[in-house]
């Protein structure tokens, strides 16, 4: 999901070494890996993070397997659990429900929509595809300045 007009309002990328952990770390002297590039979330990004984490409670047939909130977009790997009635296809039924729910709840919270109208989806067909996408998500903060969504905007306040 992308923020309208590429506005970098979800956070900012901070840190200077290649990422080594999948979750966003909190820096401390005991955790030197936290210096790796990661996204320091804004108030908007923090709220979206909480909503993504609640998705499996709202949709018990869905698992958010991996995600990253970037300054102006969000990547998710969504797994549809076995035994779920899928309809025509998950990308035409379940996935749009989850995405619309995330967009709707943030719009209600913020009082305005921050999102572009649609979203891009990709069905993961095999293990190699899954690993490639997982790695892309994991390394996205480290590669931020080469990302097609990078706009060189500065987030004034977090």
């Amino acid at each position: 999901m992308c923020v309208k007009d590429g506005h970098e309002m979800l956070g900012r990328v901070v840190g200077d070494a290649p990422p080594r952990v999948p979750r966003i770390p909190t820096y401390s002297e005991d955790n030197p890996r936290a210096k790796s590039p990661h996204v320091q979330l804004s108030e908007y990004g923090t709220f979206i993070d909480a909503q993504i984490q609640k998705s499996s409670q709202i949709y018990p047939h869905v698992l958010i397997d991996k995600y990253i909130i970037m300054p102006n977009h969000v990547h998710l790997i969504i797994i549809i659990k076995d035994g779920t009635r899928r309809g025509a296809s998950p990308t035409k039924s379940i996935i749009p429900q989850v995405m619309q729910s995330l967009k709707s709840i943030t719009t209600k919270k913020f009082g305005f929509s921050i999102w572009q109208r649609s979203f891009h989806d990709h069905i993961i067909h095999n293990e190699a595809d899954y690993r490639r996408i997982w790695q892309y998500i994991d390394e996205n903060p480290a590669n931020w300045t080469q990302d097609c969504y990078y706009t060189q905007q500065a987030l004034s306040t977090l």
Side-chain angles (χ1 to χ4, degrees):
M1 296 187 307
C2 293
V3 173
K4 278 184 198 172
D5 302 320
H7 293 293
E8 295 180 8
M9 59 192 306
L10 306 181
R12 65 180 174 190
V13 175
V14 296
D16 59 3
R20 300 286 183 244
V21 293
R23 296 285 301 155
I24 298 172
T26 302
Y27 181 75
S28 72
E29 293 299 319
D30 297 340
N31 186 5
R33 294 184 296 180
K35 287 186 175 183
S36 64
H38 63 280
V39 180
Q40 182 180 12
L41 297 176
S42 67
E43 181 180 339
Y44 296 111
T46 300
F47 181 78
I48 292 162
D49 182 55
Q51 298 314 304
I52 290 171
Q53 291 182 34
K54 290 180 187 176
S55 292
S56 293
Q57 295 167 353
I58 297 166
Y59 297 99
H61 52 283
V62 166
L63 170 67
I64 306 295
D65 188 46
K66 176 82 170 170
Y67 71 96
I68 185 85
I69 299 170
M70 293 299 291
N72 61 6
H73 65 281
V74 178
H75 292 288
L76 303 111
I77 294 178
I78 300 173
I79 295 177
I80 300 169
K81 297 177 183 177
D82 285 341
T84 301
R85 191 171 153 214
R86 297 185 180 173
S89 92
T91 57
K92 293 182 181 174
S93 59
I94 295 170
I95 302 300
Q97 272 186 323
V98 173
M99 303 308 278
Q100 183 56 43
S101 174
L102 285 170
K103 287 181 175 186
S104 178
I105 199 158
T106 56
T107 298
K108 287 177 186 171
K109 169 71 174 175
F110 304 150
F112 59 95
S113 177
I114 66 169
W115 304 109
Q116 285 185 179
R117 283 184 41 169
S118 61
F119 61 91
H120 173 77
D121 63 352
H122 170 81
I123 296 174
I124 298 174
H125 293 284
N126 55 46
E127 183 71 21
D129 199 21
Y130 175 84
R131 288 177 189 260
R132 180 185 58 79
I133 292 167
W134 179 281
Q135 182 176 3
Y136 177 83
I137 289 172
D138 217 26
E139 295 175 356
N140 209 205
N143 298 319
W144 176 231
T145 58
Q146 288 79 46
D147 195 292
C148 65
Y149 298 112
Y150 178 70
T151 62
Q152 296 184 327
Q153 294 177 6
L155 187 64
S156 58
T157 60
L158 289 175

